[in-house]
Amino acid sequence: MMSRPRPIVPKGKLGKTMGCLQLVLGVLVIIVSTLSLFRFYSAGFLSNNGDICRHFYGMKDVSGFDINALSARVGEVLDKMANLQEKLESVVRQMEKNKDLAKTNIPRSEYKKFLEEEVIQPLYSAHIGLRQIRLPKVEGIRNSTLKEEPLINSFVVEEIRKYITPKENKNGNVNIYGMERVYNTIGHSCVLLKKELEEYMDYDIGSYCKDDWPLAQKLMINGCDPVPRRRCLTRASKLYKKPYPINESLWKLPDGGNVRWANYKCRNFECLSSKNPKRGFSKCTGCFEMDKEKLKWVGNSTLPVDVLIKDVLAIKPGEIRIGLDFGIGTGTFAARMREQNVTIVSTALNLGAPFSETIALRGLVPLYMTLNQRLPFFDNTLDLIHTTGFMDGWIDLQLMDFILFDWDRVLRPGGLLWVDRFFCSRKDLDDYMYMFLQFRYKKHKWALSPKSKDEVFLSAVLEKPPRSL
């Protein structure tokens, strides 16, 4: 015989339970109505206030409040309340249909679990959602005309809301920047990546962070850059040892125990060999093999697009002191330049392998950033920008234009732009050449070489003009 469905509540408790559920539903309705009326009244929505009307009808004297974000937040709360009501009504219907309540009993622990998970937690979540809604302030915030802090209603996780809320200086003083408050920065795409960002910022303050750097990198690459700061403690490898001394570290593969390998396909440096097809990355083949790395930029090559470091430094004897290597690698270009007393900062992303960690363990400086970001250098400060292996023929021309103008900004007059083995399809070559030539830099090197039947290499060493206006 088929067993009958297990009832939710015994018959003796049916009347009391149904009464409690009806009471809960009634209380929910009262809470939602009261909170909504209170918040609308406190914001002036129930008074004859022209400023509120002007705000919602888009007058020019009101800015800063995102009505769409508020609407979305209210919608989330209403959905939670509707789901809770539907669950409770479903339980009541099931209880009414069940005719064998007297034969079974529900354990007290199970009844308690049902109330906690199906009633109390959803109700608490909806309650918190209501409390976090920020309505516009008619009088403005502080001495400004801003009606609401930007982005507040776009996020639920409280730590994000605390981060993006401007921080007032103590005692109302003006800080070193001449401001009354500090605004933490956040990338505009963070709103589009709300789920991922809220997952990243969901942690216990002061505890250890999750080993979730790939999530942070995903946010960065997708335009949520800069990623918000966090108030948790970064994990290190359990096998961490002190790095090799500088006279050894430049050309010695680091100790694998100093890397957290959990989020890579490989679990050691040996696995990253170019001979391993399952190493987890395709760019910069051979970057983790020091015997091959030692040959770069110092050995003669048959390709006309290959340029040696000594030839570039000879263009400006003694003038190349600091620079940027914008590419993907393990810091070999910076290591070679260090031997020439030139300080190079290397951009790095961990695209399938520990590039950032390796650069740092070699005693060099990794700059963890994407193409999306403005360079963190002041105007006219760098002697050299070198780029290879990263920005190639896949890149959109307008994006490349913004990047090159930013590079032009940070290069000093007389500084060198070294384009190293840039490649693209032959049909796009004229467009990309124009991108480099539009700045009217002096050509010290300009060479083309076939990469394949349909692709071509371009290398160039270009000098920025003075532009002393």
Side-chain angles (χ1 to χ4, degrees), residues 151 154-155 187-197 219 222-224:
L151 301 180
S154 297
F155 302 102
H188 73 283
S189 290
C190 293
V191 176
L192 303 177
L193 299 166
K194 176 182 174 181
K195 179 180 177 182
E196 291 83 355
L197 182 62
L219 289 167
N222 285 279
C224 183

Side-chain angles (χ1 to χ4, degrees), residues 125-138:
S125 177
H127 173 215
I128 293 299
L130 281 174
R131 290 181 65 87
Q132 289 182 340
I133 291 176
R134 304 279 185 90
L135 290 174
K137 301 178 182 179
V138 177

Side-chain angles (χ1 to χ4, degrees), residues 324 326 347 367 369-382 384-385 391 398-412 417 435 438-439 441 464 467:
L324 173 70
F326 204 108
T347 63
L367 183 61
M369 66 173 293
T370 70
L371 279 173
N372 315 340
Q373 189 177 341
R374 183 179 189 262
L375 289 176
F377 305 111
F378 192 64
D379 304 354
N380 303 310
T381 51
L382 299 185
L384 173 71
I385 293 180
M391 190 179 70
Q398 191 173 73
L399 172 59
M400 185 175 180
D401 211 28
F402 276 104
I403 293 170
L404 291 179
F405 270 93
D406 194 35
W407 291 0
D408 175 79
R409 176 184 64 81
V410 301
L411 268 180
R412 66 167 176 83
L417 172 60
M435 291 287 104
Q438 64 178 321
F439 298 97
Y441 283 15
K464 179 179 176 178
R467 297 193 198 136

Side-chain angles (χ1 to χ4, degrees), residues 62-74:
V62 179
S63 62
F65 178 67
D66 190 345
I67 186 63
N68 292 326
L70 173 61
S71 177
R73 173 61 60 80
V74 172

Side-chain angles (χ1 to χ4, degrees), residues 236-237 239-259 269 338 356-364 366:
S237 170
L239 305 175
Y240 195 89
K241 302 176 182 178
K242 65 179 181 179
Y244 299 129
I246 191 61
N247 60 332
E248 298 179 26
S249 63
L250 282 184
W251 300 108
K252 186 175 182 179
L253 204 61
D255 189 316
N258 288 354
V259 176
F269 282 111
R338 181 167 184 155
S356 295
E357 299 98 308
T358 303
I359 293 172
L361 290 169
R362 292 179 71 179
L364 305 165

Side-chain angles (χ1 to χ4, degrees), residues 258-278:
N258 288 354
V259 176
R260 291 179 295 159
W261 295 96
N263 291 298
Y264 301 112
K265 286 189 175 181
C266 285
R267 293 294 184 268
N268 52 59
F269 282 111
E270 290 70 28
C271 171
L272 297 174
S273 168
S274 58
K275 298 178 181 179
N276 179 13
K278 298 182 179 180

